[in-house]
Amino acid sequence: TWFAHIGAAKALGILQRRYNRAYQVDTSSVYGAAIVLPQLARSSGWSSHYTAFAVRSHIFLLSSFLLQGFLVYMICKEERVNDKFGGQMHLCDLGAHLQHCPDSSNCLGPGGTEYSPERLFNWQQWVTRKWVRDSFQSLFPERMDDLNSFMDPGEYGMESYSLRIVCCFTFVMGLFSDLVGSCDLFLLLWRIPTCDNPWVTYDPLEDVQDQSGVTLKTTGMPMHWKLINVVFVLCPKIYIWILTVDNGVVFLMETAGIEDLVINAVALAFILSLDEMIYVTMFSDVAKELVDAVQPYRMNLEYVEQDSRNPLDLWNAHEVNRAWHILTPSMYRLIIPVRLIVMASITLFFLCKYYVEHCTRLEDGSWVPKPLEMPKRYELPLLSFLFGPIPN
């Protein structure tokens, strides 16, 4: 027990010291490369190789933004333009309470009849069945009653309301690490000194057989480079994330089938992983090695990796951590899952935004789609796409 408690205290102390007030760029994506490589080029006096690495990093950064933005734009266009030309209304809560019908809200479908399990279809099936019935009615108007009796198109609605909410949360959870990376990048740009200290240093005393004496370390950044990184790296990165979440949630909320919901929730997260794919496939091995070798910036200048406390001090510190009870406030601060609360809040915000913008609440509590408005043209205006996340 003695050694187990000391080992637990030492492991916790090492990890806390390692990550306490340490700020590092993302070394697995094009964003981190776009931050690091220009600073290495600046530190080298803008030599040809380092300058080429820096320029290429921003070319790949622009490529990542354009590719991600184009994919999100096409998803947005499908929902806001193409589907409307096809006559598809918003799904809202159509068929959400099918298991409680006919004694519940949302029991009337867009066709004006009550929902039942055997009459529930997705949009493609429902519109095809409806078209076949309407075509026969046009050909044989004198047999309208018989056709209505024998050719039931059913109703359009969702297969699972709870799965739709879970898939939206799962989708947000899959993209949350990218938001955390943006926050880490902001803290890095905020915390590192505003100076032109070099990120490359050389110590001839350490230039031995196993060590080159070269150290790559985050030290400082001039103000103009901080502004460049905020404007051309951080802000576009955050807004791409907002656009993806906003349009992704709408896309999932408009998906009626169970299989389609699960597949789409996973597939949409692929968009924000394109920056990592570009980094792995497009950057040279030398550039990736340079980015990976950069040490983080630590505000604790006396940082050492190992915990130098003696076993007795470790034991006493561990005993203090064990002295908690059910009313200890600090214990609840450690237990509360802040990230889970943030993810749930983000999901709730975009769900509410969807209902407010696309649905109308009836007196019985039903959320039904607003009247369909045809787009004025086939193309989605770029400004309309860019300002789409702003609530109306």
Side-chain angles (χ1 to χ4, degrees):
T1 303
W2 164 270
F3 290 107
H5 288 187
I6 291 180
K10 191 176 185 67
L12 183 62
I14 291 174
L15 293 175
Q16 287 179 336
R17 292 169 68 85
R18 180 181 299 172
Y19 295 105
N20 182 34
R21 306 183 78 181
Y23 305 97
Q24 186 174 19
V25 297
D26 184 5
T27 58
S28 62
S29 73
V30 66
Y31 302 112
I35 297 291
V36 170
L37 293 177
Q39 299 309 307
L40 297 182
R42 174 181 63 84
S43 303
S44 70
W46 300 103
S47 66
S48 59
H49 285 84
Y50 282 98
T51 303
F53 289 150
V55 173
R56 278 195 295 181
S57 69
H58 278 263
I59 292 176
F60 294 142
L61 176 68
L62 178 61
S63 302
S64 176
F65 286 146
L66 292 177
L67 185 57
Q68 291 173 324
F70 176 74
L71 293 178
V72 178
Y73 172 85
M74 295 307 295
I75 292 176
C76 183
K77 180 184 177 183
E78 174 71 16
E79 296 297 329
R80 296 172 58 180
V81 178
N82 294 5
D83 286 349
K84 290 184 178 181
F85 277 122
Q88 182 174 354
M89 72 287 292
H90 293 288
L91 185 57
C92 294
D93 280 355
L94 297 178
H97 304 138
L98 174 64
Q99 65 273 21
H100 302 299
C101 291
D103 301 322
S104 180
S105 58
N106 296 304
C107 285
L108 286 180
T113 60
E114 288 187 355
Y115 283 108
S116 60
E118 69 276 6
R119 300 180 63 250
L120 182 68
F121 301 98
N122 60 33
W123 172 256
Q124 289 78 14
Q125 292 174 322
W126 181 68
V127 74
T128 301
R129 293 168 64 94
K130 189 170 178 291
W131 175 81
V132 172
R133 186 202 61 181
D134 293 344
S135 298
F136 273 94
Q137 287 179 349
S138 299
L139 291 173
F140 308 103
E142 70 280 0
R143 305 194 60 181
M144 187 77 67
D145 295 336
D146 294 336
L147 293 173
N148 287 331
S149 300
F150 293 102
M151 302 186 68
D152 179 18
E155 286 292 352
Y156 165 55
M158 71 184 74
E159 295 181 359
S160 176
Y161 175 81
S162 57
L163 178 64
R164 189 171 67 156
I165 303 301
V166 170
C167 285
C168 288
F169 176 77
T170 306
F171 168 64
V172 173
M173 182 171 58
L175 303 185
F176 191 75
S177 60
D178 198 80
L179 179 63
V180 174
S182 299
C183 296
D184 292 341
L185 178 56
F186 170 78
L187 290 176
L188 173 70
L189 296 175
W190 179 266
R191 293 294 188 182
I192 61 175
T194 305
C195 59
D196 58 353
N197 292 343
W199 286 34
V200 184
T201 58
Y202 172 70
D203 187 354
L205 298 179
E206 296 185 2
D207 192 356
V208 294
Q209 183 176 1
D210 297 331
Q211 297 181 351
S212 63
V214 178
T215 301
L216 306 182
K217 185 176 182 180
T218 307
T219 55
M221 189 180 297
M223 177 58 71
H224 65 277
W225 271 110
K226 285 189 175 184
L227 295 177
I228 290 174
N229 289 324
V230 168
V231 174
F232 295 102
V233 181
L234 180 60
C235 289
K237 174 178 167 61
I238 294 176
Y239 206 70
I240 285 288
W241 187 89
I242 294 175
L243 286 170
T244 304
V245 175
D246 181 46
N247 291 281
V249 168
V250 172
F251 185 72
L252 291 174
M253 292 295 287
E254 299 291 354
T255 304
I258 290 178
E259 298 94 339
D260 295 336
L261 272 171
V262 176
I263 294 173
N264 291 340
V266 177
L268 285 170
F270 165 75
I271 295 176
L272 288 189
S273 67
L274 288 173
D275 58 288
E276 300 174 1
M277 182 185 300
I278 291 176
Y279 177 76
V280 172
T281 58
M282 299 293 184
F283 281 79
S284 66
D285 293 336
V286 175
K288 287 186 286 187
E289 190 72 23
L290 288 171
V291 175
D292 292 339
V294 174
Q295 300 177 10
Y297 169 73
R298 300 187 183 277
M299 297 188 68
N300 182 10
L301 299 180
E302 299 178 354
Y303 168 79
V304 291
E305 178 70 19
Q306 296 297 325
D307 194 332
S308 60
R309 291 177 293 178
N310 59 54
L312 182 59
D313 292 337
L314 290 171
W315 172 266
N316 293 332
H318 188 69
E319 288 302 303
V320 171
N321 284 334
R322 294 181 61 199
W324 63 273
H325 52 81
I326 195 66
L327 298 179
T328 303
S330 59
M331 189 63 182
Y332 290 97
R333 288 197 296 268
L334 294 174
I335 292 176
I336 294 176
V338 177
R339 293 195 177 191
L340 176 61
I341 295 174
V342 174
M343 290 182 219
S345 301
I346 293 173
T347 305
L348 180 62
F349 170 79
F350 283 102
L351 289 178
C352 293
K353 180 176 179 292
Y354 169 82
Y355 280 107
V356 170
E357 292 183 350
H358 304 299
C359 309
T360 301
R361 194 170 191 269
L362 303 181
E363 294 181 357
D364 63 350
S366 303
W367 286 95
V368 298
K370 292 182 178 180
L372 189 64
E373 297 181 2
M374 284 295 174
K376 296 181 179 179
R377 55 181 180 175
Y378 185 69
E379 294 298 326
L380 176 65
L382 181 60
L383 291 180
S384 178
F385 163 69
L386 293 176
F387 291 101
I390 300 176
N392 295 332

